[in-house]
Amino acid sequence: MAARTGQLALLLLLAFLCGTHALAQGSSGEDTHFDFPMEDPDDDRNTTRNLQDVLTDAASDIQKTISTSEHPLFDLKAKYGASAQKGVLGASVGYAVARITKHFALSTLKVSAVGAVMYIGAAALGYIHKDPADIVDQLQNGAAQASHVILRVLDLNKDGKVDWKDAKIVGRRLERAILKNSVAASIGVAAGALFAIVS
């Protein structure tokens, strides 16, 4: 129980710290979105700022505010209050969606596995007039076709295999999506979903 409480506290702290620099300046009217060139979407050099820069700027600003302000909690609330709210809301939504998805995915997997075993068992016992070996072959062929489709979808650089290069592409695309939208809400959703998956 203490470990889960610590994880939740870490998620809330992460959501609090993930404000953008524009939100840190208050309601200055600055746009919180970053523009990306439209050349190659997978080229690292196309981003004007990356997620690490945004988080480093926010952490530096928080540290500076704490060290120089007479009332750091009030100043931090004024600067990052909206980001904290977005982060907590995002974490709540991410947790709920991931928890529901996890529940239904596991239920569907269990029902499918039990159904396949019962079907093969019924065929083996003679209740269904099919050869159990043919049923197993059909199931294996269906699984092989599904795995080929999944591998084609996951092979983002189209080199014929799913490897770390594909994971890097996914990471860059996720980073761009987070920077294009609200950093606090995006990281909150990701943290909430991760918390729901591991709990």
mmCIF file of all heavy atoms in Angstrom, residues 176-195:
data_model
loop_
_atom_site.group_PDB
_atom_site.id
_atom_site.type_symbol
_atom_site.label_atom_id
_atom_site.label_comp_id
_atom_site.label_asym_id
_atom_site.label_seq_id
_atom_site.Cartn_x
_atom_site.Cartn_y
_atom_site.Cartn_z
ATOM 1 N N ARG A 176 6.698 14.675 -30.081
ATOM 2 C CA ARG A 176 6.094 15.756 -30.873
ATOM 3 C C ARG A 176 4.639 15.962 -30.493
ATOM 4 O O ARG A 176 4.164 17.100 -30.408
ATOM 5 C CB ARG A 176 6.220 15.453 -32.354
ATOM 6 C CG ARG A 176 7.618 15.651 -32.858
ATOM 7 C CD ARG A 176 7.658 15.656 -34.379
ATOM 8 N NE ARG A 176 9.027 15.726 -34.799
ATOM 9 C CZ ARG A 176 9.748 14.698 -35.207
ATOM 10 N NH1 ARG A 176 9.213 13.507 -35.265
ATOM 11 N NH2 ARG A 176 10.995 14.848 -35.570
ATOM 12 N N ALA A 177 3.915 14.854 -30.278
ATOM 13 C CA ALA A 177 2.499 14.972 -29.904
ATOM 14 C C ALA A 177 2.362 15.644 -28.548
ATOM 15 O O ALA A 177 1.474 16.477 -28.349
ATOM 16 C CB ALA A 177 1.853 13.593 -29.886
ATOM 17 N N ILE A 178 3.255 15.292 -27.613
ATOM 18 C CA ILE A 178 3.201 15.911 -26.286
ATOM 19 C C ILE A 178 3.502 17.395 -26.386
ATOM 20 O O ILE A 178 2.830 18.227 -25.780
ATOM 21 C CB ILE A 178 4.188 15.209 -25.328
ATOM 22 C CG1 ILE A 178 3.644 13.824 -24.955
ATOM 23 C CG2 ILE A 178 4.434 16.036 -24.077
ATOM 24 C CD1 ILE A 178 4.633 12.977 -24.196
ATOM 25 N N LEU A 179 4.516 17.766 -27.172
ATOM 26 C CA LEU A 179 4.879 19.177 -27.288
ATOM 27 C C LEU A 179 3.843 19.977 -28.060
ATOM 28 O O LEU A 179 3.666 21.167 -27.816
ATOM 29 C CB LEU A 179 6.251 19.308 -27.954
ATOM 30 C CG LEU A 179 7.438 18.894 -27.087
ATOM 31 C CD1 LEU A 179 8.710 18.914 -27.907
ATOM 32 C CD2 LEU A 179 7.558 19.790 -25.880
ATOM 33 N N LYS A 180 3.162 19.332 -28.985
ATOM 34 C CA LYS A 180 2.166 20.036 -29.779
ATOM 35 C C LYS A 180 0.928 20.348 -28.937
ATOM 36 O O LYS A 180 0.251 21.328 -29.144
ATOM 37 C CB LYS A 180 1.785 19.191 -30.989
ATOM 38 C CG LYS A 180 1.081 19.961 -32.079
ATOM 39 C CD LYS A 180 0.870 19.105 -33.287
ATOM 40 C CE LYS A 180 2.062 19.243 -34.196
ATOM 41 N NZ LYS A 180 1.857 18.647 -35.503
ATOM 42 N N ASN A 181 0.642 19.494 -27.972
ATOM 43 C CA ASN A 181 -0.504 19.681 -27.085
ATOM 44 C C ASN A 181 0.005 20.144 -25.719
ATOM 45 O O ASN A 181 1.141 20.535 -25.583
ATOM 46 C CB ASN A 181 -1.287 18.376 -26.987
ATOM 47 C CG ASN A 181 -1.810 17.942 -28.333
ATOM 48 O OD1 ASN A 181 -2.539 18.669 -28.984
ATOM 49 N ND2 ASN A 181 -1.406 16.770 -28.781
ATOM 50 N N SER A 182 -0.827 20.095 -24.743
ATOM 51 C CA SER A 182 -0.445 20.509 -23.393
ATOM 52 C C SER A 182 0.517 19.491 -22.794
ATOM 53 O O SER A 182 0.208 18.320 -22.701
ATOM 54 C CB SER A 182 -1.681 20.622 -22.519
ATOM 55 O OG SER A 182 -1.307 20.805 -21.169
ATOM 56 N N VAL A 183 1.700 19.952 -22.399
ATOM 57 C CA VAL A 183 2.713 19.060 -21.846
ATOM 58 C C VAL A 183 2.204 18.419 -20.563
ATOM 59 O O VAL A 183 2.310 17.218 -20.353
ATOM 60 C CB VAL A 183 4.029 19.827 -21.598
ATOM 61 C CG1 VAL A 183 5.039 18.957 -20.882
ATOM 62 C CG2 VAL A 183 4.616 20.315 -22.912
ATOM 63 N N ALA A 184 1.622 19.210 -19.691
ATOM 64 C CA ALA A 184 1.163 18.697 -18.399
ATOM 65 C C ALA A 184 0.063 17.658 -18.582
ATOM 66 O O ALA A 184 0.102 16.590 -17.965
ATOM 67 C CB ALA A 184 0.686 19.842 -17.524
ATOM 68 N N ALA A 185 -0.916 17.955 -19.423
ATOM 69 C CA ALA A 185 -2.017 17.016 -19.627
ATOM 70 C C ALA A 185 -1.529 15.741 -20.309
ATOM 71 O O ALA A 185 -1.927 14.639 -19.938
ATOM 72 C CB ALA A 185 -3.116 17.669 -20.457
ATOM 73 N N SER A 186 -0.652 15.875 -21.300
ATOM 74 C CA SER A 186 -0.146 14.702 -22.019
ATOM 75 C C SER A 186 0.657 13.791 -21.106
ATOM 76 O O SER A 186 0.482 12.573 -21.110
ATOM 77 C CB SER A 186 0.727 15.145 -23.195
ATOM 78 O OG SER A 186 -0.009 15.922 -24.099
ATOM 79 N N ILE A 187 1.535 14.371 -20.320
ATOM 80 C CA ILE A 187 2.331 13.561 -19.408
ATOM 81 C C ILE A 187 1.446 12.996 -18.308
ATOM 82 O O ILE A 187 1.636 11.863 -17.861
ATOM 83 C CB ILE A 187 3.520 14.363 -18.853
ATOM 84 C CG1 ILE A 187 4.511 14.603 -19.992
ATOM 85 C CG2 ILE A 187 4.203 13.636 -17.712
ATOM 86 C CD1 ILE A 187 5.737 15.368 -19.626
ATOM 87 N N GLY A 188 0.442 13.744 -17.879
ATOM 88 C CA GLY A 188 -0.504 13.228 -16.898
ATOM 89 C C GLY A 188 -1.253 12.016 -17.417
ATOM 90 O O GLY A 188 -1.403 11.020 -16.718
ATOM 91 N N VAL A 189 -1.716 12.075 -18.669
ATOM 92 C CA VAL A 189 -2.419 10.942 -19.272
ATOM 93 C C VAL A 189 -1.493 9.734 -19.346
ATOM 94 O O VAL A 189 -1.875 8.613 -18.978
ATOM 95 C CB VAL A 189 -2.961 11.302 -20.674
ATOM 96 C CG1 VAL A 189 -3.409 10.074 -21.422
ATOM 97 C CG2 VAL A 189 -4.097 12.299 -20.561
ATOM 98 N N ALA A 190 -0.265 9.947 -19.807
ATOM 99 C CA ALA A 190 0.683 8.836 -19.918
ATOM 100 C C ALA A 190 1.009 8.235 -18.553
ATOM 101 O O ALA A 190 1.044 7.012 -18.385
ATOM 102 C CB ALA A 190 1.960 9.318 -20.608
ATOM 103 N N ALA A 191 1.224 9.085 -17.561
ATOM 104 C CA ALA A 191 1.548 8.588 -16.218
ATOM 105 C C ALA A 191 0.366 7.860 -15.603
ATOM 106 O O ALA A 191 0.543 6.800 -14.977
ATOM 107 C CB ALA A 191 1.992 9.755 -15.330
ATOM 108 N N GLY A 192 -0.839 8.389 -15.779
ATOM 109 C CA GLY A 192 -2.026 7.718 -15.253
ATOM 110 C C GLY A 192 -2.259 6.373 -15.913
ATOM 111 O O GLY A 192 -2.591 5.387 -15.256
ATOM 112 N N ALA A 193 -2.061 6.317 -17.234
ATOM 113 C CA ALA A 193 -2.235 5.051 -17.946
ATOM 114 C C ALA A 193 -1.192 4.030 -17.502
ATOM 115 O O ALA A 193 -1.504 2.859 -17.277
ATOM 116 C CB ALA A 193 -2.146 5.285 -19.447
ATOM 117 N N LEU A 194 0.047 4.470 -17.359
ATOM 118 C CA LEU A 194 1.103 3.564 -16.904
ATOM 119 C C LEU A 194 0.814 3.054 -15.502
ATOM 120 O O LEU A 194 0.979 1.869 -15.215
ATOM 121 C CB LEU A 194 2.450 4.286 -16.946
ATOM 122 C CG LEU A 194 3.665 3.458 -16.567
ATOM 123 C CD1 LEU A 194 3.874 2.326 -17.562
ATOM 124 C CD2 LEU A 194 4.903 4.322 -16.516
ATOM 125 N N PHE A 195 0.345 3.917 -14.632
ATOM 126 C CA PHE A 195 -0.009 3.514 -13.272
ATOM 127 C C PHE A 195 -1.132 2.475 -13.271
ATOM 128 O O PHE A 195 -1.092 1.507 -12.516
ATOM 129 C CB PHE A 195 -0.402 4.738 -12.453
ATOM 130 C CG PHE A 195 -0.691 4.440 -11.011
ATOM 131 C CD1 PHE A 195 0.335 4.090 -10.141
ATOM 132 C CD2 PHE A 195 -1.987 4.502 -10.531
ATOM 133 C CE1 PHE A 195 0.073 3.821 -8.821
ATOM 134 C CE2 PHE A 195 -2.253 4.234 -9.205
ATOM 135 C CZ PHE A 195 -1.229 3.882 -8.351
#
